[in-house]
Amino acid sequence: MWKARISVPSKVSPGTAVTVKTLIAHPMETGFRRDAIGAAIPRDILTRFEARFMDEFVFGADLHPGIAANPYLSFEFVPPASGTLALMWRDQRGQEVRETLSIEIAAT
């Protein structure tokens, strides 16, 4: 399966926007390329990315064949309280990779 790298601070000040950076190792093969003998390389792309904080949707993206291999996505949100950030990538066959991270709101 694919390997995801995620950068997000584990502690933030109240009311501060959190920048989440993700990179997932995936070939994102469009289906338009040919191999050395001229056969079409089958399409293999990620089609959806979603981020939820405490089960509430905070960011989503539909991915298409024009997206480069190893897609990098970055977004910001303001967590209302300490909790868990869940990230999900889905491919065209419905396979999913899920990662979860904790974010703590630092006491002031």
Side-chain angles (χ1 to χ4, degrees):
M1 202 45 112
W2 328 301
K3 181 171 172 79
R5 292 175 46 193
I6 304 160
S7 173
V8 60
S10 58
K11 282 188 178 184
V12 295
S13 299
T16 302
V18 172
T19 301
V20 179
K21 299 175 186 177
T22 71
L23 177 78
I24 189 159
H26 191 280
M28 294 295 285
E29 191 56 61
T30 65
F32 299 124
R33 291 186 330 125
R34 305 263 175 197
D35 64 13
I37 61 170
I41 299 171
R43 179 177 160 154
D44 181 13
I45 65 168
L46 295 172
T47 58
R48 183 72 182 158
F49 171 80
E50 285 186 7
R52 294 180 178 273
F53 186 74
M54 300 303 293
D55 292 327
E56 188 165 327
F57 181 85
V58 293
F59 180 80
D62 291 321
L63 306 175
H64 301 279
I67 304 293
N70 307 318
Y72 168 83
L73 295 166
S74 178
F75 63 95
E76 290 186 344
F77 78 104
V78 178
S82 296
T84 303
L85 177 66
L87 306 175
M88 182 277 302
W89 294 261
R90 182 181 308 122
D91 76 0
Q92 66 189 37
R93 293 181 297 273
Q95 295 178 319
E96 295 180 355
V97 167
R98 294 178 178 268
E99 297 285 342
T100 57
L101 304 129
S102 294
I103 297 176
E104 182 181 333
I105 303 296
T108 55

